[in-house]
């Protein structure tokens, strides 16, 4: 069995979520926004990890990956902004299904068979305005 990097899982989850029709984007995490607000002159606002909780592994824009406390699997939180005119429930279900399938496939290609749970939160609706 191969160890799977959290960064790779975050990338797979983000790619799968962004490929879903109706997803306008993945918002920055609250910690990222607070760090940027506290240091408005800083151009590099990459969040730094200060959490020392043993099971938390990583988070970045719109996606957070946590290991189960006993190390038996992964829990992925996906926050997304939807495009206006889409039914939120349908898009969220589609994001859940696609992210879950993509992560299971990614883990399988690395010889890892661990449970994966995915939670999807819609954080906003992007209003599109035609400038023409």
């Amino acid at each position: 069995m191969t160890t799977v990097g959290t960064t790779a899982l975050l990338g797979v989850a983000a790619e799968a979520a962004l490929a879903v029709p109706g997803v306008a984007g993945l918002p920055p995490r609250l910690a990222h926004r607070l760090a940027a607000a506290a240091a408005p002159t800083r151009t590099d606002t990459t969040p730094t990890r200060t959490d020392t909780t043993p099971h938390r592994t990583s988070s970045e824009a719109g996606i957070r990956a946590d290991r189960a406390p006993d190390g038996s699997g992964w829990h992925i939180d996906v926050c997304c902004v939807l495009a206006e005119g889409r039914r939120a429930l349908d898009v969220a279900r589609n994001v859940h299904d696609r992210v879950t399938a993509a992560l299971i496939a990614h883990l399988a290609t690395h010889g890892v068979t661990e449970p994966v749970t995915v939670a999807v939160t819609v954080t906003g609706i992007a209003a599109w305005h035609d400038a023409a």
Side-chain angles (χ1 to χ4, degrees), residues 18-105:
L18 289 169
V20 173
V23 173
L26 302 174
R29 303 292 302 176
L30 178 59
H32 182 96
R33 291 188 304 216
L34 291 174
T41 58
R42 185 176 168 190
T43 58
D44 175 18
T45 59
T46 304
T48 56
R49 183 169 174 244
T50 58
D51 183 5
T52 57
T53 306
H55 68 278
R56 176 154 297 149
T57 55
S58 186
S59 67
E60 61 183 50
I63 310 286
R64 188 180 79 210
D66 296 319
R67 291 288 289 162
D70 63 358
S72 65
W74 290 94
H75 177 76
I76 309 296
D77 287 313
V78 180
C79 293
C80 53
V81 175
L82 305 186
E84 187 175 48
R86 298 288 187 141
R87 188 173 156 191
L89 179 61
D90 294 337
V91 177
R93 282 182 181 162
N94 200 358
V95 168
H96 173 272
D97 295 346
R98 287 196 185 189
V99 169
T100 301
L103 290 171
I104 290 171

Side-chain angles (χ1 to χ4, degrees), residues 1 4 9 67 71-74 103-104 107-108 112-117:
M1 182 161 90
V4 177
L9 287 178
R67 291 288 289 162
S72 65
W74 290 94
L103 290 171
I104 290 171
L107 290 170
V112 178
T113 55
E114 294 181 322
V116 175
T117 60

